Amino acid sequence: QKEVEQNSGPLSVPEGAIASLNCTYSDRGSQSFFWYRQYSGKSPELIMSIYSNGDKEDGRFTAQLNKASQYVSLLIRDSQPSDSATYLCAGRPLFSGGYNKLIFGAGTRLAVHP
Amino acid sequence: SQTIHQWPATLVQPVGSPLSLECTVEGTSNPNLYWYRQAAGRGLQLLFYSVGIGQISSEVPQNLSASRPQDRQFILSSKKLLLSDSGFYLCAWIPVQGSYNEQFFGPGTRLTVL
């Protein structure tokens, strides 16, 4: 069973702090990883993609991938109340082939308080 | 422009009634298409995926079926709804084939079975 695991939270951080969201995966052959943000009652929105070991930065967001440890993280700098949402981590297993299927974690709820 | 639509946005149906949810995409040809379900407070479960007209793959046995009658149309159906079919149904697609093959979600259909 290929799995992606996340702490359900809630993760509570003060406004302006760094929020750190973590994800582990079981399939060592997984190639690419994605972070989605989902506001309550809305569909998920893709915010970061990463497939190489190391860090990838986009604005206030940094995705980190460590394939040896099978670990993916998302850092949100200068957190704002508008960042309060559920963050879904997804991985593309090696077996997905041309179908490009993803396996999602259950999500971590982030609450940024003023 | 590349867009994805889902219809209807919300639906309340009695147990035992039929179901038809529609997903249409614009702006690209022969995209991979996906149906997911998200139960209340839960992660995303992949239900069906399609890589071309008339081609459907099912992830889990269930009370639902899918069809792709046109290149840019993906339909989710049921002959008789169960209470457990309630949830948030999301269509996703890959509009650009490339290094990441990123999936993007439609706005979703919230289904309540009573």
Side-chain angles (χ1 to χ4, degrees):
Chain A
Q1 179 80 7
K2 309 298 182 184
E3 292 184 345
V4 173
E5 304 216 0
Q6 298 179 254
N7 187 320
S8 62
L11 172 66
S12 183
V13 301
E15 184 174 356
I18 295 176
S20 178
L21 303 159
N22 305 311
C23 170
T24 59
Y25 59 95
S26 62
D27 177 26
R28 189 169 287 278
S30 291
Q31 301 295 299
S32 308
F33 299 88
F34 307 87
W35 283 99
Y36 290 83
R37 177 176 61 199
Q38 187 175 24
Y39 292 115
S40 181
K42 302 296 184 182
S43 64
E45 172 192 11
L46 179 66
I47 54 173
M48 289 289 285
S49 308
I50 186 167
Y51 63 68
S52 298
N53 270 330
D55 296 359
K56 180 183 178 184
E57 186 175 319
D58 183 1
R60 295 187 297 114
F61 299 101
T62 299
Q64 299 174 318
L65 174 59
N66 184 326
K67 290 187 177 181
S69 300
Q70 295 177 238
Y71 180 90
V72 191
S73 65
L74 178 71
L75 302 178
I76 306 175
R77 290 181 298 282
D78 188 24
S79 295
Q80 301 297 310
S82 59
D83 294 325
S84 298
T86 296
Y87 289 79
L88 304 174
C89 173
R92 175 175 293 124
L94 185 62
F95 69 82
S96 70
Y99 300 113
N100 292 303
K101 297 189 292 183
L102 297 180
I103 294 179
F104 282 83
T108 298
R109 190 157 59 91
L110 172 66
V112 181
H113 53 88
Chain B
S1 64
Q2 295 167 335
T3 55
I4 178 170
H5 306 277
Q6 286 189 247
W7 185 87
T10 60
L11 192 59
V12 180
Q13 291 285 97
V15 169
S17 64
L19 174 74
S20 181
L21 304 181
E22 184 170 341
C23 171
T24 58
V25 299
E26 299 175 7
T28 193
S29 298
N30 199 34
N32 284 15
L33 296 170
Y34 308 84
W35 277 114
Y36 291 87
R37 176 171 59 201
Q38 187 175 39
R42 305 288 296 276
L44 293 172
Q45 180 186 31
L46 179 62
L47 303 175
F48 300 95
Y49 55 96
S50 170
V51 297
I53 296 174
Q55 188 281 327
I56 306 293
S57 297
S58 174
E59 274 294 287
V60 294
Q62 58 210 317
N63 186 42
L64 302 168
S65 62
S67 62
R68 186 168 176 176
Q70 301 180 41
D71 181 42
R72 298 171 190 167
Q73 184 183 34
F74 203 22
I75 296 173
L76 184 69
S77 304
S78 174
K79 292 182 179 178
K80 288 186 177 181
L81 284 168
L82 306 173
L83 286 174
S84 57
D85 291 324
S86 292
F88 193 31
Y89 287 82
L90 292 154
C91 182
W93 70 321
I94 298 177
V96 179
Q97 298 286 341
S99 299
Y100 282 109
N101 288 326
E102 295 165 330
Q103 285 189 25
F104 295 89
F105 287 88
T109 295
R110 191 163 303 280
L111 171 66
T112 303
V113 182
L114 300 175

